[in-house]
Amino acid sequence: MRVKLLAVALCGIASSVAVAGPVQSSQTGSSTAAQQYAPLFQSEIDRSRAFVDEMMIDGVVVPFPKDPGGGYTHEQHKQNFKIIYQGGQLYKLTGEQKYADYVRDILLAYAKLYPTLGEHPARKNTQGSGRLFWQVLNDAMWMVDSIQGYEAIRDTLSETDRKNIDDNLFRKAAAFLSTGSAVTFSKIHNHATWATAGVGMTGYVLGDKELVDIALLGLDKSGESGFLRQSELLFSPDGYYTEGPYYQRFALKPFIVFAGAIERNDPARKIFEHRDGILLKALTTTVQLTYEGRFFPFNDAIRDKSLKTDELFHGVAVAYSKTREPGLLSIADWQGRTVLTDAGMLLASDLAAGKAKPFPFKSMLLSDGPEGKQGAVAIMRKGDGMTGQALVAKNSSQGMGHGHFDKMSWQYYDNGYEIVSDYGAARFLNIEAKFGGRYLPENESWAKQSVAHNSLVVDEKSHFYGDVKAASKLAPEQLYFSDKMGSQISTAKMTGAYPGVEFTRTLALLDVEGLGQPLVADVMRVEAEGDHQYDLPLHYNGHIMRVGFDVASNVEGRPILGEGHGYQHIWVDALGKPSSAENAFVTWIKDDRFYTSRWAPQAGSETILAESGANDPKFNLRREQMVIQRVANGKDTVFAGVLEAHGRYDGAAERTTDSDSQIKTIQHVRDGEADLLLIETLAGAKSVLAISYDQDKAKKHSATINGKNIKWTGFADHIRLGGGAK
C-alpha cells in the first residue's frame, strides 16, 4: 500500500488550517465548496493557474534532449517539471480534472521518451551526465518537483497509465539517479542532496522501501552516505552550510521538502528534531546570511540570487509551519510569494491575520564544519537587515569544490548596498552564449583567486597556491568574537595558506563619537619566516571622488599587474606612494553616500588603483574597481585601516554635505604583543581599538600610544579617549 508524500501539511498542520483550506478528497480531487483563501495564497493559485493554462495552449511538449543550459530543450524540460508540480497542486486545490489530465499526458510522454535516452549530448566530461539535462543535478531537480506533481494526480489514473508511468519513467529515473549515478549519489554534496531527495520521495510515492532506504542511508545502507549523513556533515551546529550561502539556499529545498515527506510517512524518525533541529536552524541561518534579501556572495555565488527564490518559498513556509516564528511572516511578505501546500496556506492565513513581526536580523558568529571546528563566519550588524550596516568576516573553510581561495576576506554593506564587495562566481547562469550557462574559464583564473577578494596575497600567489585539496585540510581559527553594540569585534588567524607565513585579522564595527555612521576598522598582522611581497586588495562599489595622494595615472595604455593567479586579469590605472595616514585615503560615492578608505602606510609601500578585465577577449568579466596596498619586500608587517561612511549627496536638490572624510588621521602602534589603532576625527574625538590577542577574558592589559596609557580587559576593546565637539 503506497504512502502519501504530498499534502505537505507535516505533523499537526492540517487541523490548524481546517478553516482555511478546502475539504477535498485526494482520490478524486473534488471540492465540497468554493474556497476563500488568504491573499498571498490566492495570488499563488492565480499565478500558477495563469502559467499552467498558458502552457496548456501549446499542448504536450517533451523534446528529445540536446541543448546545454539555457538552450531550448534545457529550458523546456525545466518548464515541464514546473508544470507537473504546479498542475498537480492545482488539481488538489481546485478539483479541476483538466489539470490532472494535462499532468498525466506530459508524464506519459516522458514515459515514452525516457527509456530511449542515453548520456546527454551536451554533457561535460568533468561532471556526471544527465539524461534529460546536461548534468545529473538537473535530472534530480526534475525528479523532486515531478514526483510531487505525480503523487497529486496518481490516484486519478487508469491502472495501465499508472503502471506505465511508474515503471517506464519514475523507476527508471530513480535507478539512473542512484545506482546509475553512484558517484554523485554517494557524495556529501548538494548534487547528492537533490538526488537522494528525488529517489527517496519516489520511493514513498511508489511504496518502494528499497528506494527510501538507499536515499536515507546510501547505496550500501551503511549510513556513511545518503540524505541523513549529508544533514550531519554539510551543516555546522549553527546551521551554516559549508559551501556558503548561495549553495545553502540551493540545497535547502531538497532538504526541507524530503524532510516533509519523511515526517509524514515515517514520523518516528522525528526528522525535524534530528541533530538538534538542524534543518530548521539551517533555514533561519540562511535568512541571516543576507542583506537586503540578497545572499552574501561567498564562493561560487550568482550574485542576483535573493530570498525571492523557489527554494526559500518552500523553506520559509515549512519552517513557519513548524515554528510559528512571526519573523518568518515578514520574510514571506517581502518575498511576496509562497507555495501551494498546506504550509503555504497556513503562512498566508497568519500573514493576513496580522501576526507578522520584523525578522530579527542580528550580529552572530556562525561556526563552520560538522563539529563547528573549521573556522567561522562573523556577522556584525547595526540597524535592520535592509538598509543598516553589516560587516561580514569570512573566516570559514574552503567550501569544497565551489570554494574560493579567500581566507579571512570581508564584505561590507550599508545604506542598502554592497560597499566592499566580493566578485562571486564568473558565470552567466543558463545563458547559452556564455559557455552554455556553465562556469566560465575565468571562474578559475579570476573569481576563485585570492587577489579577486579582500584578503592577503603573498608573492602574487593565491592561498595554498590554488590547490583545493590542500586548502580543504586547513581553515582559519576564530580567536575572538564580540557582538557588543558599538564595539563589535572579530579576530581570526590563518596558518598554512603560505609556507612560513601566518596572518591574523581583526575586523571591527565601531561607534565613534561625532560620526553619523559606524566605522569599520581593519588590522591585519602578518608574521613570516622570510621576506615576501604582500598585497592587500580592497574591492569596492562606487565612483572615486578624491584620492588623497599623488598618483601616476596610465592614461594612454594600462599595463597588466601580473602573469597568473588572477593578476593577469588586473588593469593598472594608477600608482602612488602615500606618505602618511593623513593623505593615504581614497573617497568614493555610492548612491547618495560617500565612503573613505584610509590606511596607515608602511615605509616604502605603494598603492595601486586598478580594475578587473584584462586578458578577457570574450568579455566574460565584470569591470570592477580595487585599491591594492603593496609592501614589496617585507617580513613581519601590519596593515591597519578604517572605512568611513559619511555625508550625503542629494541630486534632486543639488546639495552635498560632508563629502570629505571626517577622520583627521589614524595611527597604528604595536606595543609588545598588543596592536593599537588610534582614530582621531576632525572634531578632535579620539578612540583606540586595542587588541591583546589574549584568550583570558578576565586578564587586564595596558599599552602606550603617543605617551597615552591605554587599559582594557580581555582580548580586545574599543576605548574612547574623549575630545571632540561639546
Side-chain angles (χ1 to χ4, degrees):
M1 186 173 181
R2 79 181 176 93
V3 284
K4 282 286 184 181
L5 171 64
L6 286 168
V8 187
L10 309 181
C11 275
I13 296 177
S15 61
S16 68
V17 297
V19 296
V23 181
Q24 282 183 316
S25 165
S26 62
Q27 296 277 334
T28 65
S30 61
S31 178
T32 60
Q35 179 62 45
Q36 295 295 320
Y37 295 106
L40 186 65
F41 196 76
Q42 184 61 54
S43 69
E44 202 63 42
I45 293 175
D46 295 342
R47 181 180 291 106
S48 290
R49 187 189 289 274
F51 168 66
V52 177
D53 287 353
E54 182 179 359
M55 295 300 102
M56 289 174 71
I57 295 172
D58 294 330
V60 174
V61 183
V62 180
F64 191 89
K66 67 180 183 68
D67 298 317
Y72 165 69
T73 63
H74 180 97
E75 293 304 311
Q76 184 61 46
H77 290 299
K78 280 177 57 181
Q79 288 280 70
N80 284 347
F81 73 68
K82 294 176 183 177
I83 294 168
I84 294 166
Y85 174 77
Q86 294 183 36
Q89 310 318 305
L90 286 170
Y91 170 70
K92 288 179 60 180
L93 288 163
T94 69
E96 294 182 38
Q97 189 63 35
K98 67 176 183 178
Y99 295 120
D101 291 346
Y102 189 44
V103 171
R104 175 201 62 202
D105 291 346
I106 294 175
L107 291 173
L108 286 172
Y110 274 109
K112 182 178 180 180
L113 172 69
Y114 200 87
T116 71
L117 300 178
E119 287 192 331
H120 195 281
R123 63 188 179 275
K124 190 178 177 184
N125 291 333
T126 56
Q127 290 179 277
S129 169
R131 293 294 184 263
L132 296 169
F133 300 90
W134 69 275
Q135 63 171 340
V136 68
L137 168 64
N138 297 89
D139 280 53
M141 295 169 67
W142 184 96
M143 187 80 140
V144 167
D145 268 22
S146 295
I147 192 61
Q148 294 179 77
Y150 180 47
E151 193 275 344
I153 63 102
R154 188 173 182 268
D155 286 341
T156 71
L157 303 181
S158 68
E159 184 176 346
T160 299
D161 286 346
R162 185 162 55 244
K163 180 173 175 53
N164 184 6
I165 295 170
D166 284 358
D167 295 345
N168 290 313
L169 178 56
F170 285 107
R171 288 193 188 280
K172 289 187 183 299
F176 165 66
L177 288 176
S178 55
T179 56
S181 305
V183 172
T184 297
F185 195 78
S186 301
K187 285 182 177 180
I188 304 299
H189 191 271
N190 73 78
H191 289 203
T193 306
W194 282 93
T196 55
V199 170
M201 294 165 73
T202 298
Y204 281 132
V205 171
L206 303 186
D208 190 329
K209 186 176 184 299
E210 176 69 11
L211 291 180
V212 173
D213 288 346
I214 64 173
L216 292 174
L217 303 172
L219 292 173
D220 61 2
K221 303 179 188 177
S222 68
E224 292 302 309
S225 62
F227 183 82
L228 295 177
R229 191 61 173 156
Q230 290 175 53
S231 71
E232 294 163 357
L233 295 181
L234 288 174
F235 295 104
S236 78
D238 296 316
Y240 178 76
Y241 183 75
T242 190
E243 293 182 278
Y246 174 81
Y247 278 95
Q248 178 153 339
R249 173 274 320 167
F250 182 62
L252 264 179
K253 180 176 175 179
F255 270 117
I256 292 291
V257 173
F258 188 25
I262 296 167
E263 170 124 321
R264 182 163 180 81
N265 293 294
D266 191 2
R269 283 191 180 275
K270 298 183 178 180
I271 188 65
F272 283 105
E273 298 176 28
H274 181 63
R275 202 181 161 211
D276 194 29
I278 192 65
L279 295 181
L280 296 176
K281 190 180 296 184
L283 183 281
T284 56
T285 294
T286 305
V287 179
Q288 292 285 358
L289 288 163
T290 64
Y291 181 85
E292 203 187 23
R294 297 189 182 275
F295 301 103
F296 301 143
F298 296 173
N299 302 329
D300 281 344
I302 308 301
R303 300 173 54 83
D304 51 3
K305 283 289 186 181
S306 73
L307 293 171
K308 294 182 180 181
T309 184
D310 182 62
E311 297 87 356
L312 269 298
F313 301 150
H314 280 272
V316 168
V318 172
Y320 180 74
S321 73
K322 297 296 294 180
T323 66
R324 303 300 200 274
E325 167 54 51
L328 292 173
L329 294 176
S330 70
I331 297 298
D333 189 37
W334 183 84
Q335 291 172 317
R337 295 286 304 276
T338 189
V339 288
L340 296 179
T341 64
D342 288 351
M345 191 188 303
L346 170 65
L347 178 146
S349 178
D350 283 1
L351 178 62
K355 297 182 180 181
K357 293 183 179 179
F359 185 84
F361 287 101
K362 60 184 179 180
S363 300
M364 61 196 315
L365 184 69
L366 297 170
S367 63
D368 192 7
E371 296 178 356
K373 298 179 180 179
Q374 296 178 17
V377 172
I379 305 171
M380 292 163 274
R381 295 186 188 267
K382 185 176 182 182
D384 62 43
M386 295 292 176
T387 61
Q389 291 78 38
L391 171 60
V392 185
K394 184 176 181 279
N395 305 327
S396 54
S397 68
Q398 179 64 20
M400 301 194 290
H402 285 297
H404 289 190
F405 300 99
D406 60 342
K407 299 304 182 193
M408 302 194 327
S409 182
W410 66 290
Q411 298 153 41
Y412 186 62
Y413 299 80
D414 176 54
N415 199 31
Y417 295 97
E418 183 184 31
I419 305 303
V420 174
S421 60
D422 187 284
Y423 192 89
R427 184 184 190 186
F428 293 84
L429 183 62
N430 280 346
I431 297 179
E432 188 176 8
K434 288 297 187 181
F435 208 57
R438 306 181 184 106
Y439 289 103
L440 296 161
E442 288 79 9
N443 198 57
E444 299 295 325
S445 62
W446 169 252
K448 286 189 175 185
Q449 302 299 326
S450 299
V451 75
H453 302 84
N454 305 302
S455 187
L456 179 73
V457 188
V458 178
D459 298 328
E460 295 190 20
K461 305 293 184 184
S462 286
H463 301 166
F464 304 99
Y465 301 127
D467 186 333
V468 173
K469 290 185 178 179
S472 298
K473 295 176 182 178
L474 297 172
E477 179 185 1
Q478 184 74 34
L479 300 177
Y480 178 75
F481 178 74
S482 170
D483 61 358
K484 178 184 175 183
M485 197 54 60
S487 183
Q488 302 184 62
I489 304 170
S490 167
T491 301
K493 178 174 67 176
M494 185 67 225
T495 305
Y498 299 101
V501 178
E502 179 178 277
F503 49 104
T504 305
R505 188 170 215 169
T506 297
L507 287 160
L509 190 63
L510 309 174
D511 286 348
V512 174
E513 182 183 351
L515 299 186
Q517 309 296 333
L519 189 76
V520 177
D522 179 17
V523 178
M524 167 83 82
R525 178 192 282 197
V526 187
E527 297 171 301
E529 295 175 356
D531 288 339
H532 297 276
Q533 174 183 290
Y534 301 122
D535 289 339
L536 188 63
L538 180 75
H539 297 261
Y540 65 93
N541 282 323
H543 191 97
I544 288 180
M545 296 287 102
R546 193 187 300 278
V547 177
F549 49 95
D550 292 334
V551 297
S553 296
N554 299 311
V555 294
E556 294 184 357
R558 296 191 292 181
I560 297 169
L561 188 56
E563 297 180 353
H565 290 256
Y567 282 77
Q568 75 275 22
H569 290 302
I570 298 175
W571 294 114
V572 178
D573 288 318
L575 295 172
K577 294 185 177 181
S579 58
S580 70
E582 280 80 5
N583 68 1
F585 69 84
V586 175
T587 297
W588 66 89
I589 189 171
K590 180 62 179 175
D591 193 50
D592 63 351
R593 188 166 288 175
F594 298 91
Y595 298 88
T596 295
S597 173
R598 183 185 300 274
W599 58 95
Q602 301 95 322
S605 65
E606 68 175 347
T607 298
I608 303 165
L609 304 181
E611 185 180 52
S612 60
N615 284 306
D616 182 24
K618 295 185 178 179
F619 307 100
N620 287 334
L621 291 175
R622 300 190 303 271
R623 293 349 187 206
E624 297 188 351
Q625 300 175 98
M626 67 198 82
V627 177
I628 302 175
Q629 297 178 57
R630 169 168 285 184
V631 176
N633 189 22
K635 185 179 179 183
D636 296 347
T637 192
V638 175
F639 293 92
V642 297
L643 176 67
E644 170 197 4
H646 54 90
R648 185 171 186 268
Y649 171 67
D650 186 337
E654 300 181 1
R655 183 182 181 189
T656 302
T657 57
D658 292 335
S659 61
D660 286 329
S661 169
Q662 301 302 296
I663 300 290
K664 178 181 180 182
T665 190
I666 62 172
Q667 180 183 359
H668 169 262
V669 168
R670 184 168 181 176
D671 188 342
E673 289 301 309
D675 279 312
L676 303 178
L677 180 62
L678 174 68
I679 303 159
E680 181 178 357
T681 69
L682 292 175
K686 296 181 180 180
S687 64
V688 172
L689 174 63
I691 313 160
S692 71
Y693 303 100
D694 194 322
Q695 300 283 354
D696 187 343
K697 297 179 181 179
K699 189 173 180 179
K700 298 183 181 300
H701 302 277
S702 66
T704 302
I705 185 168
N706 293 347
K708 179 74 172 179
N709 186 249
I710 308 297
K711 296 182 179 181
W712 73 101
T713 301
F715 191 98
D717 202 359
H718 180 219
I719 300 117
R720 294 159 180 80
L721 303 181
K726 299 295 183 183

